[in-house]
Structure formats: C-alpha cells, structure tokens
Amino acid sequence: MNTIDLRSDTVTVPTPEMREAMATAVVGDDVYGEDPTINELEATAAEMLGKEAALFVVSGTMGNLTSVLTHCGRGDEMILGKQSHIFRYEVASAAAYGGIQPNTIPVLPDGTMNLDDIRDNIRGENSHFPTTRLICLENTHGGAVGAPVTAAYVAQVAEIARANHLKLHVDGARLFNAAAALNTPARELVEHADSVSICLSKGLCAPVGSVIVGSREFIHRAHRVRKSLGGGMRQAGILAAAGLIALRQMTQRLHEDHANARLLAEGLAQLPGIDIDLNSVKTNMIFFALKPDAPLSIEELSEQLKVKYNILMRPYSVQDRSVRVVTHYWIRQEHVTAILHALRELLAPNYQRLASD
Ligand SMILES: *Cc1c(COP(=O)(O)O)cnc(C)c1O
C-alpha cells in the first residue's frame, strides 16, 4: 500500500494469507446450512464470545438491524446512545424497517451512558407509552474516540435490563479492540449481553462481513430476519475463510494498532498548531483539532497531506477544525514517522527550515 490511509480501519484489504484461504475454501449453499466454512466461522465466533450460536451477516449495519428486529416489534422502543453508530450512521433502519423508536441518551467521554439516565428512560406501565424492549451499548465506542467499555459497566447495564425485562444488545464492531485495550477476553465483555454484533472487516482485515451471536433460540429467529433483509447468501464460505483468519489471528495483534495510535498521538501533541487530548486515545482512534493559529484550515491540511504525501485523513468537523485518524494492520511504525514528518512540514515550515540549516 503506497497510500497511508488513516480514514478508517474499514480500508484494510485482506492479507495474502486471507486471499489464499479464500481461493481454497470449501463451500456449499449456506441458505441450506451446507457451507462448511460458514458453519466453522459461526461456531468459532460463538465459542470465542461464549454464546450458544452465531450468524454470519453481510455488514455491521445488517448485524445490528437483524439483532434489533429480532428483539423488538413495531411500536417498541430501544434505549441507546445519541452518539451511537446505530442511531447516527445506520440510515434509521430500525425505524424504517421495524417501526422501532429510538430513545437516545448522551454518551459520556468514556463510552458509557449514565446508569440513572438509562433507568429514567425505561417506560412504565401506561397505555400511552411505547414498550421499552431493548438497551444497546457500543464497544469500543466510536462516538467517544474509540473508548473501550469495561465488563463491569456492561454487567451493571445488564442488571438494569434484567430487572426490567429488557434485552441487551452490544454493537461490538470493534469489540476485540476493547478486549485488547482492557486486557479482558472478549467473551467476558459480553457475558451478560443477549446479542452481540462484531465486524470482521474493520481492524480484523477481512474483506466482507460481520457476525452476530446469542442464544440458539435468538439466532434461530435472527436467521429468518436475515433472510427477509436479503442477507441469505449461498457459497459465502469464500468470505468466511477470510473471517476465520480474522477471528483466530487478527484479534491477537490489535494491541499493535493501539501502540501505533499512542505513538502517533504523542508525536501530534509535540507539534505546533495541534490540539489533542492524549487521555482520550485508548484504542486505535485519534481525534485532533487545529488550533486557531495553525497556518492552514482543516480542509487545506487534508488536501495537502493527500496531494503532497499520499496520506489520507478524514476531516471530522470543519466547525471544530477536527480530524479523525484510525490506525490498523496496514499502518506500521515507519508510517507513523512519515505522518509526523509530513505534518511537521505543513504546520511548522519555519521549524523545518531551521532544522535543515
Ligand atoms: C462500522 C460500524 C458498524 C457498521 O458497519 P458496516 O459494516 O459499515 O455496516 C456498526 N457499529 C459500529 C460501532 C461501527 O464502527
């Protein structure tokens, strides 16, 4: 990869080993349950996450939507973070296809929601009210700079859910990043969840796919929902072959991405014109902003990085002059050095001239 692409960990292309496994995968018709590679992927995901069963789905959005539609009926309500992916970035699909009303709560900088806020938003018995059915958490939380959410917090939310006869879904698109950052097995992070969605195609490098896990009974019903959403695939073992490598191997190396994010963040903090909260960098995500005295705007910065250095970053908020950066498998330590060098040239041209004098 000549381009240093920091826009997201979704840009990861499959590794040569994945391509090899895909080429040689044993396949069958998964709609008949006859694709051995899909079956192996689902069994592996269920085992790793400590649940009875699993289901391979096309994307993280389909994983969340399938789960939410399996838990809730029309006119039901789900409680979730206002900064959550499900609420912000999934095209209101739960409302559009399931008639499910979101009841949002602010997400705190640590990726959690206040427990009293959750309790206060659960509807009581009243013929005017929607029925609360579900609480959704996100781990790591993309709306909170990729903050990992602890097993202890998830257990507390699960207790509230159980006491109120609600289900708990965890959007764990980057759950294994949380596991790596907290040094906690992923299965402990979701021990008390009724359903979990994980992405294979973000930091785990697989080209396509997500997996949802839960009880056998939940997955049985989710299977029908997936089919109704058009997610019944045939010889998809070709994709699952990469997914197996993602689960078995790529989950083991995510701490490297976190170390590179940390290295990059510490370098950024040394540069003039950059505002960054080092405490917020906990996994593979960094947000930084340009200070008012920076010599160029956020759009100019990202344009120059692209044109001059082949470095891609995503301007996050033009108003706040902020940028999001995500590290992943294809970003190595030498890239971090190159990124910092480029930023120094753009933000501190005088420093450069002195340094090279
Ligand atoms: C990426 C992501 C998703 C959805 O993934 P897609 O595969 O793009 O549909 C869901 N939740 C979170 C937290 C994500 O980061």
Side-chain angles (χ1 to χ4, degrees):
M1 234 189 214
N2 293 324
T3 305
I4 301 179
D5 195 341
L6 300 158
R7 290 171 301 168
S8 177
D9 45 9
T10 55
V11 301
T12 47
V13 296
T15 63
E17 191 185 352
M18 284 180 176
R19 287 179 185 270
E20 172 71 23
M22 293 171 80
T24 56
V26 183
V27 297
D29 191 328
D30 183 52
V31 170
Y32 298 151
E34 291 174 2
D35 187 306
T37 312
I38 293 271
N39 293 341
E40 190 181 348
L41 176 77
E42 291 175 346
T44 304
E47 153 75 22
M48 286 175 79
L49 296 170
K51 300 294 177 198
E52 287 175 359
L55 189 67
F56 183 61
V57 292
V58 171
S59 65
T61 299
M62 188 184 274
N64 286 329
L65 179 59
T66 302
S67 301
V68 167
L69 292 178
T70 304
H71 289 306
C72 304
R74 299 189 72 81
D76 285 347
E77 197 167 70
M78 60 177 173
I79 293 175
L80 76 176
K82 194 168 177 63
Q83 289 77 19
S84 69
H85 196 281
I86 296 179
F87 182 62
R88 284 210 296 198
Y89 300 125
E90 299 186 7
V91 211
S93 52
Y97 304 117
I100 298 156
Q101 172 159 285
N103 183 349
T104 61
I105 293 177
V107 173
L108 305 172
D110 66 357
T112 67
M113 295 177 280
N114 179 288
L115 295 175
D116 285 332
D117 269 358
I118 296 178
R119 284 188 197 97
D120 292 348
N121 278 280
I122 298 171
R123 308 283 182 168
E125 273 292 314
N126 182 319
S127 61
H128 299 79
F129 291 169
T131 304
T132 310
R133 283 280 175 223
L134 179 69
I135 302 172
C136 299
L137 297 178
E138 184 172 319
N139 200 7
T140 62
H141 206 300
V145 199
V149 175
T150 64
Y153 175 79
V154 180
Q156 285 177 299
V157 175
E159 211 174 295
I160 296 173
R162 261 196 305 272
N164 292 279
H165 310 289
L166 309 180
K167 299 294 181 188
L168 175 62
H169 173 70
V170 174
D171 175 0
R174 297 189 180 86
L175 184 72
F176 290 101
N177 290 88
L182 297 167
N183 204 15
T184 306
R187 63 146 62 79
E188 284 180 28
L189 294 176
V190 296
E191 188 182 344
H192 302 289
D194 297 290
S195 59
V196 185
S197 172
I198 56 156
C199 279
L200 302 171
S201 70
K202 291 200 166 160
L204 303 184
C205 275
V208 178
S210 281
V211 182
I212 58 176
V213 299
S215 69
R216 206 161 278 119
E217 184 270 336
F218 168 81
I219 292 296
H220 179 72
R221 289 189 293 122
H223 207 279
R224 291 174 62 82
V225 174
R226 181 186 70 171
K227 185 68 182 162
S228 79
L229 294 175
M233 293 183 283
R234 303 291 177 179
Q235 288 75 25
I238 287 184
L239 303 173
L244 277 165
I245 295 173
L247 286 180
R248 287 175 179 151
Q249 295 176 30
M250 304 308 260
T251 51
Q252 306 302 310
R253 57 153 303 284
L254 293 170
H255 59 274
E256 293 173 30
D257 299 341
H258 301 175
N260 283 330
R262 168 64 36 196
L263 196 66
L264 181 54
E266 282 171 1
L268 288 168
Q270 305 286 319
L271 293 178
I274 284 188
D275 207 359
I276 180 169
D277 173 12
L278 284 179
N279 289 326
S280 71
V281 182
K282 297 196 178 106
T283 55
N284 66 332
M285 261 183 219
I286 299 172
F287 282 74
F288 70 85
L290 287 182
K291 288 183 181 158
D293 62 355
L296 66 186
S297 72
I298 203 74
E299 295 100 325
E300 286 163 350
L301 180 74
S302 67
E303 183 62 18
Q304 302 250 338
L305 282 170
K306 180 176 164 184
V307 172
K308 289 192 182 160
Y309 302 96
N310 221 1
I311 296 173
L312 305 182
M313 289 183 185
R314 181 190 287 172
Y316 195 71
S317 156
V318 171
Q319 204 179 353
D320 302 341
R321 297 158 65 86
S322 66
V323 184
R324 185 182 87 158
V325 166
V326 185
T327 57
H328 52 76
Y329 181 79
W330 298 101
I331 302 297
R332 302 295 159 87
Q333 202 172 317
E334 60 267 26
H335 297 124
V336 172
T337 311
I339 296 157
L340 291 171
H341 175 79
L343 282 167
R344 173 164 288 135
E345 284 192 350
L346 292 174
L347 291 169
N350 295 331
Y351 175 96
Q352 253 309 305
R353 223 169 290 138
L354 281 174
S356 55
D357 272 350

